[in-house]
Amino acid sequence: MSATPQKNRASRRVLAAAAGMATVGALVAAMPAGAHDRGHGHGHQSRTVDVQLLSFNDLHGNLEPPAGSAGTVGETQADGTVKSIPAGGVEYLATSLRTARKGNPYSVTAAGGDMVGASPLLSGLFHDEPTIEALNGLDLDVTAVGNHEFDEGATELARLQNGGCHPVEGCYEKGRKFKGADFPYLAANVTSEKSGKPILKPYTVWKKNGVKIGFIGVTLEGTPNIVTANGVKGLKFHDEIETVNKYAKELDRKGVKSIVALIHEGGAPASTSYNYDCDSPGAGDGISGPIVDIAKGITPKVDALVTGHTHQAYVCTVPDPSGKPRMVTSASSFGKVYTDTTLTYDRRTKDIVRTSVKSVTSENHVVRRDQARATDMTALIARWNTLAAPIAGRPQGFISADINGRGSTAPEKPLGNLIADAQLEGLAPADKGGAVVAFMNPGGIRSDLVYTASAGEGDGVVTYGEAFTVQPFTNMMNVVDLTGAQLVAALQQQVSGSNAASPKILQISKGLTYTLDLTKSGADRVVAETIRLNGEAIDPAKTYRVAMNEFLAGGGDGFAALGQGTDKLVGASDLDLFNAYLAAHSTASAPLAPPATDRITVVQ
């Protein structure tokens, strides 16, 4: 299933591939050497030049501004309070990036992965071709792959890179053939099991007027644990640190001394506000998570790390192995934030100056919606919306208030309960699987259900497009036999094993209750003796019919116990069950209210 993209036909920018690979892009007309270089050279180039690095991550096909709380960014005010600012949408992201580039002749734009996948209907319905087209229009220069780039497998990822119409659905617009990405996708740590070679370019080099910056792109090594098995079939994912260090050495040997790593893995800052001072009180104190150890292990040859995956906004310094401060950044998600980093490039050493933090400065900026929209992006959205309208606008049900999913920070989410109940109801009949309980993975809930009308459908109306945005994967549902012991083990795997540091709390159907004691550690945080199904204790030896999507049934997200199910029955898709439940339980005069969140008792 290996696929190596050919030379990109349409790149407009200055990107030279390395390692003997084909050149990507054509040289733009050279600007006067030394423009905006530091110092006054009296007709000569100064020794250093400021290179602007603009970056963002985890766009997930959100071309339109995300709805509800998913479309806001927290900003800490002078008095310590946090204000929610509406943000995101490619019309505004394009304006923000274009405004930021003004007066910066040495400007390069990079992304940290998950540009596509788990996308709203506007992009997802068309296999994310609209997002790739938008990114071309944004003048993105390079991106790492994220785990979601593998949702539809390596062959489809290669098509997004190279172009060509969808193998099943064909071309979406008469007379238009999908051209693919103008920018290279980098996948240094993803190799073909057959050939052992990277399935896409491991790195690329940006060049302008003698300035050269190498970009190495990797995704998280644990991608196979969070993507369906079909998506990663035939692929091998390697250690992020070893891979980046290997290619940094290769770039260095080729004379490329300035290197940026694009890493689809991230951390959790102590505050979720985009303007939190991550280095207060000390360098690196304000962030935890996998990226910290990765940053500490990556060779000092790498000058900055653009990260992602955790959907957080941070600008931190984490010391490299030699003890020198190094910038590690992330720009929230869904196009709500972008990072503007200044790299001081030394023409003599060909390296980024990192003698002091001031030589590499970085700041996150909100993509505000009170600025002008980019008209080319408005036209792009309108064009694809016209194609999507017959499906997107179809009413599915009615709600009486916002039902939060992605926007809820609680372990048990109202929308999670609604989804799990829909799955149980659809698969409880004997001929549909005979399920007695249903589980939903929290990461599969991609949005909120918002009461306020978004496109003239009327307040409280849930359209097909809105339902799709909540559950865009269209996973097939499975019903399997699990023992009571396996059920208990699965609930404990929420907070132990690979989920110990960052718990993944399953959303559960009505009838299942238990206590989550966060004062304890590991598996003990799920108090086994409190687990009840319809008021009865779980019998370790008894067999239970359990409904879940195919991702969880494959042991995804660290739930090995759920992968041990037997006597599998494949049911309808998660989206079909969700829409059927909305139709059965709501009308315009009797809309569905947000379900209570009383299934998990949390002790803190």
Side-chain angles (χ1 to χ4, degrees), residues 70-85:
T72 62
V73 172
E75 181 182 72
T76 300
Q77 307 298 298
D79 62 1
T81 59
V82 177
K83 179 181 176 184
S84 278
I85 301 172

Side-chain angles (χ1 to χ4, degrees), residues 5-321:
Q6 299 164 355
K7 174 180 171 182
N8 195 303
R9 297 175 297 280
S11 183
R12 300 180 297 272
R13 287 167 297 284
V14 194
L15 281 167
M21 296 182 183
T23 299
V24 181
L27 291 170
V28 297
M31 294 187 67
H36 280 260
D37 289 1
R38 287 190 167 186
H40 302 282
H42 300 291
H44 301 287
Q45 283 184 335
S46 64
R47 178 163 170 175
T48 62
V49 57
D50 284 349
V51 176
Q52 179 188 55
L53 171 62
L54 300 175
S55 57
F56 57 97
N57 50 276
D58 295 277
L59 180 64
H60 290 289
N62 279 265
L63 303 181
E64 296 176 296
S69 55
T72 62
V73 172
E75 181 182 72
T76 300
Q77 307 298 298
D79 62 1
T81 59
V82 177
K83 179 181 176 184
S84 278
I85 301 172
V90 294
E91 296 161 290
Y92 304 108
L93 179 59
T95 299
S96 289
L97 295 176
R98 289 164 187 172
T99 302
R101 289 179 189 131
K102 285 176 182 171
N104 291 283
Y106 293 87
S107 183
V108 57
T109 304
D114 276 5
M115 295 295 98
V116 301
S119 306
L121 186 102
L122 177 60
S123 187
L125 187 63
F126 306 106
H127 295 276
D128 283 311
E129 289 180 22
T131 296
I132 298 297
E133 188 182 326
L135 292 169
N136 289 343
L138 288 176
D139 288 334
L140 180 64
D141 286 306
V142 57
T143 184
V145 292
N147 52 289
H148 281 282
E149 262 83 21
F150 294 95
D151 284 347
E152 295 188 49
T155 303
E156 173 63 5
L157 174 55
R159 186 182 77 88
L160 292 181
Q161 177 74 85
N162 292 329
C165 296
H166 193 270
V168 176
E169 296 176 27
C171 298
Y172 295 111
E173 295 174 287
K174 196 174 180 181
R176 275 184 193 251
K177 186 181 176 187
F178 176 56
K179 293 177 181 176
D182 284 1
F183 50 90
Y185 262 110
L186 304 181
N189 67 329
V190 187
T191 59
S192 160
E193 284 180 351
K194 280 184 182 173
S195 71
K197 293 178 180 175
I199 62 162
L200 294 166
K201 292 179 186 304
Y203 59 80
T204 193
V205 181
W206 179 86
K207 293 180 180 178
K208 183 161 190 181
N209 297 342
V211 175
K212 290 192 290 188
I213 298 179
F215 288 89
I216 302 166
V218 296
T219 190
L220 70 159
E221 185 182 8
T223 292
N225 302 324
I226 54 175
V227 172
T228 57
N230 278 342
V232 294
K233 194 176 177 185
L235 305 178
K236 198 165 182 188
F237 292 76
H238 303 269
D239 181 80
E240 303 94 335
I241 299 172
E242 289 175 15
T243 304
V244 172
N245 288 353
K246 170 187 169 183
Y247 287 111
K249 199 172 176 183
E250 192 171 307
L251 281 167
D252 186 60
R253 273 203 314 270
K254 291 175 176 289
V256 180
K257 308 294 183 185
S258 300
I259 302 171
V260 174
L262 309 175
I263 303 174
H264 191 72
E265 179 60 289
S271 164
T272 56
S273 292
Y274 84 93
N275 59 338
Y276 165 64
D277 182 358
C278 193
D279 292 337
S280 175
D285 285 354
I287 186 171
S288 59
I291 199 60
V292 178
D293 287 337
I294 290 172
K296 287 177 178 175
I298 284 178
T299 172
K301 293 181 194 300
V302 173
D303 299 297
L305 277 60
V306 171
T307 72
H309 187 57
T310 57
H311 291 204
Q312 301 297 310
Y314 50 82
V315 172
C316 307
T317 53
V318 178
D320 70 18

Side-chain angles (χ1 to χ4, degrees), residues 299-567:
T299 172
K301 293 181 194 300
V302 173
D303 299 297
L305 277 60
V306 171
T307 72
H309 187 57
T310 57
H311 291 204
Q312 301 297 310
Y314 50 82
V315 172
C316 307
T317 53
V318 178
D320 70 18
S322 73
K324 277 166 66 176
R326 180 167 56 192
M327 205 62 77
V328 179
T329 69
S330 176
S332 185
S333 63
F334 300 170
K336 295 183 290 189
V337 171
Y338 74 93
T339 312
D340 188 339
T341 302
T342 301
L343 304 169
T344 300
Y345 182 90
D346 188 319
R347 290 185 182 277
R348 197 175 303 169
T349 64
K350 298 180 182 177
D351 206 350
I352 301 301
V353 180
R354 282 204 293 130
T355 49
S356 70
V357 176
K358 288 179 182 176
S359 303
V360 180
T361 58
S362 191
E363 191 176 357
N364 275 333
H365 301 275
V366 177
V367 176
R368 295 175 183 268
R369 296 189 206 156
D370 56 3
Q371 60 184 320
R373 297 175 180 176
T375 54
D376 57 330
M377 293 296 154
T378 305
L380 181 150
I381 288 169
R383 204 179 90 236
W384 287 102
N385 262 332
T386 301
L387 288 172
I391 296 171
R394 212 181 290 154
Q396 302 298 310
F398 304 85
I399 56 175
S400 63
D402 288 359
I403 304 180
N404 283 347
R406 196 75 184 182
S408 168
T409 55
E412 181 184 353
K413 307 172 194 305
L415 189 49
N417 287 357
L418 178 61
I419 290 168
D421 288 351
Q423 294 176 353
L424 178 61
E425 181 171 293
L427 299 170
D431 63 335
K432 302 292 185 188
V436 296
V437 66
F439 291 136
M440 175 63 189
N441 56 307
I445 305 169
R446 304 305 299 185
S447 185
D448 303 331
L449 279 185
V450 178
Y451 176 79
T452 305
S454 59
E457 77 277 11
D459 289 349
V461 179
V462 179
T463 64
Y464 184 89
E466 289 166 337
F468 182 98
T469 297
V470 168
Q471 292 197 98
F473 298 105
T474 320
N475 276 311
M476 301 311 291
M477 292 300 299
N478 290 182
V479 185
V480 299
D481 279 349
L482 287 173
T483 65
Q486 288 168 328
L487 259 182
V488 172
L491 290 172
Q492 291 181 325
Q493 284 167 357
Q494 300 176 110
V495 290
S496 62
S498 61
N499 294 329
S502 182
K504 289 189 174 76
I505 305 303
L506 293 165
Q507 305 301 287
I508 55 178
S509 56
K510 61 186 173 187
L512 184 64
T513 57
Y514 69 92
T515 297
L516 179 67
D517 189 344
L518 298 177
T519 66
K520 297 181 178 178
S521 61
D524 291 341
R525 286 183 277 189
V526 171
V527 185
E529 57 269 23
T530 66
I531 304 171
R532 297 277 186 280
L533 182 58
N534 300 320
E536 294 183 9
I538 299 291
D539 181 347
K542 186 179 170 182
T543 296
Y544 297 84
R545 293 292 282 167
V546 184
M548 66 195 99
N549 59 44
E550 58 192 333
F551 170 67
L552 281 177
D557 267 354
F559 291 101
L562 296 182
Q564 294 166 356
T566 57
D567 195 17

